[in-house]
Amino acid sequence: MRRKSFSKMQCPVARSLERVGEWWSILILRDAMHGLTRFDQFEESLGISPTMLTRRLSGLVKAGLLERQRYSERPPRYEYVLTERGRDFRSVIVAMQVWGNKYFAPEGASVLLVNAKTGAVADPVMVDRKSGAPLAGADFILTPGPAAGASTRRKLATSAWSTTHPGSARRSARKPRIGS
Amino acid sequence: MRRKSFSKMQCPVARSLERVGEWWSILILRDAMHGLTRFDQFEESLGISPTMLTRRLSGLVKAGLLERQRYSERPPRYEYVLTERGRDFRSVIVAMQVWGNKYFAPEGASVLLVNAKTGAVADPVMVDRKSGAPLAGADFILTPGPAAGASTRRKLATSAWSTTHPGSARRSARKPRIGS
């Protein structure tokens, strides 16, 4: 699939997408976090074509999310193991699980995160590490970081990220503009 | 792009991917969270072709993440506003920002989440809402939920999600299998 490269965009979301590549890659990472490491395991789990799987695994190795390790000398066999960078992607996967379970699992959750010792089901939420404050509310807003360029600054100047009532921020953008 | 439908997979990650569609959709959601609502605003921000943008916006409306609202009668003009489901996708976006800032921003962060009142930079982390325990450690493991089918149960039986030393879980999967 031909598509525009996102790597020149300054946004960390765009750059992450550039590295992870596309949906198959996310599902491969999900399976790797479930403990799968071998080509045939991924193939069976995903029902993906070998050509596509080869391409996606190579992409993830190149992006530094998986490491190719030989686990058998004769015949030579390789497995794909998560790097630290790959393991750190877990928070994105967990966030997707929470969202997916909430909106697209009418029959109930098929996957849950539980405390290994107590068996209590976890209710994942994104908070500020220091204060413990949930990041979903109006208390937290997106601002340009130290490395932000002009376009990032311009975009965030009208940020409604924080508004639970997005009307106020939208109103200023409603002025009819030439060419709109 | 022709691709396999993920909607039949039980996994909440796969179902989420099915709804969000592809990268452009995530970047559109990101921009919507930044306060953009109008076609020309998304077009300018993303450098996306009008045809592709139209398709992606329709997909997000159909999936219930954006709502199309008329904001001008003459001429009729529409804007795209996040629904509750769309706003809830924020935790996925934030998780991607954290990951992207950590690994793919050698020049420093271009976007930061800050406390609107104090200006303190947030350090987002995924925790259990009740106990406050971080979910990244070995304390939490993935288990089949009440609605899990056979394949989900089989896959999670070998889950190494929780292991910080994934070797142990992988070893059992290393046995050479017929056809591997």
Side-chain angles (χ1 to χ4, degrees):
Chain A
M1 175 188 167
R2 223 167 47 83
R3 67 165 172 73
K4 183 171 166 161
S5 168
F6 297 147
S7 61
K8 281 192 201 113
M9 292 188 186
Q10 236 198 343
C11 170
V13 175
R15 288 190 184 168
S16 298
L17 296 178
E18 179 73 19
R19 267 41 172 245
V20 184
E22 47 72 85
W23 303 140
W24 283 124
S25 305
I26 292 194
L27 294 181
I28 290 169
L29 289 172
R30 174 204 65 181
D31 278 354
M33 286 168 194
H34 289 180
L36 308 196
T37 61
R38 289 194 337 226
F39 193 92
D40 63 310
Q41 293 177 322
F42 292 117
E43 199 181 359
E44 189 194 335
S45 164
L46 297 170
I48 185 176
S49 79
T51 315
M52 181 67 96
L53 181 54
T54 302
R55 201 179 302 155
R56 291 306 154 204
L57 286 171
S58 302
L60 289 170
V61 168
K62 210 174 149 195
L65 284 105
L66 290 177
E67 208 170 51
R68 193 163 175 259
Q69 292 177 356
R70 186 181 281 208
Y71 70 91
S72 158
E73 292 298 325
R74 263 179 305 181
R77 290 194 194 285
Y78 297 88
E79 60 183 356
Y80 297 85
V81 181
L82 287 166
T83 61
E84 191 200 342
R85 180 184 290 187
R87 280 195 301 275
D88 263 6
F89 195 71
R90 175 173 153 151
S91 56
V92 178
I93 302 269
V94 169
M96 281 193 182
Q97 277 172 338
V98 173
W99 190 72
N101 272 335
K102 182 166 177 185
Y103 291 107
F104 308 118
E107 79 280 32
S110 63
V111 181
L112 291 170
L113 204 55
V114 302
N115 186 307
K117 283 169 204 153
T118 66
V121 175
D123 180 7
V125 61
M126 189 85 77
V127 301
D128 175 31
R129 195 186 301 267
K130 220 187 214 169
S131 66
L135 298 181
D139 288 349
F140 288 89
I141 54 169
L142 271 189
T143 53
S151 79
T152 304
R153 288 180 191 281
R154 203 165 49 236
K155 201 184 292 182
L156 290 178
T158 55
S159 174
W161 181 281
S162 67
T163 54
T164 42
H165 306 289
S168 55
R170 272 189 290 119
R171 211 146 292 143
S172 65
R174 270 183 194 168
K175 279 179 232 150
R177 289 195 320 190
I178 292 160
S180 74
Chain B
M1 176 185 164
R2 223 169 47 82
R3 65 164 173 73
K4 182 170 166 162
S5 168
F6 296 147
S7 61
K8 280 191 201 112
M9 292 188 186
Q10 235 197 344
C11 169
V13 175
R15 287 190 184 168
S16 298
L17 295 179
E18 179 73 18
R19 265 44 171 244
V20 183
E22 45 74 86
W23 300 142
W24 283 124
S25 304
I26 293 194
L27 294 181
I28 290 170
L29 289 172
R30 174 204 64 181
D31 278 355
M33 286 167 192
H34 289 179
L36 307 196
T37 61
R38 290 196 335 228
F39 193 91
D40 62 312
Q41 292 177 322
F42 292 117
E43 199 182 359
E44 188 194 336
S45 164
L46 298 169
I48 186 176
S49 79
T51 315
M52 181 68 95
L53 180 56
T54 301
R55 200 180 301 155
R56 291 308 154 203
L57 285 171
S58 302
L60 289 170
V61 168
K62 207 173 152 196
L65 284 106
L66 290 178
E67 210 171 49
R68 193 162 175 260
Q69 293 177 356
R70 186 182 280 208
Y71 70 91
S72 157
E73 294 296 326
R74 262 180 304 181
R77 290 195 194 284
Y78 297 88
E79 60 184 354
Y80 297 85
V81 181
L82 287 166
T83 61
E84 190 198 343
R85 179 184 291 187
R87 279 194 301 273
D88 263 5
F89 194 72
R90 175 174 153 151
S91 56
V92 178
I93 301 269
V94 170
M96 280 194 183
Q97 277 172 339
V98 172
W99 190 72
N101 271 336
K102 183 166 177 185
Y103 290 108
F104 308 118
E107 78 281 31
S110 63
V111 181
L112 291 170
L113 204 55
V114 301
N115 186 307
K117 283 169 204 152
T118 66
V121 175
D123 181 7
V125 61
M126 189 84 78
V127 302
D128 175 32
R129 196 186 301 267
K130 221 187 213 169
S131 66
L135 298 179
D139 289 348
F140 289 88
I141 55 170
L142 271 189
T143 53
S151 79
T152 303
R153 287 180 192 281
R154 204 166 47 238
K155 202 185 291 183
L156 289 179
T158 56
S159 175
W161 181 281
S162 67
T163 53
T164 43
H165 305 288
S168 55
R170 273 188 291 119
R171 211 146 291 143
S172 65
R174 269 183 195 168
K175 280 178 232 150
R177 291 192 321 189
I178 293 160
S180 74

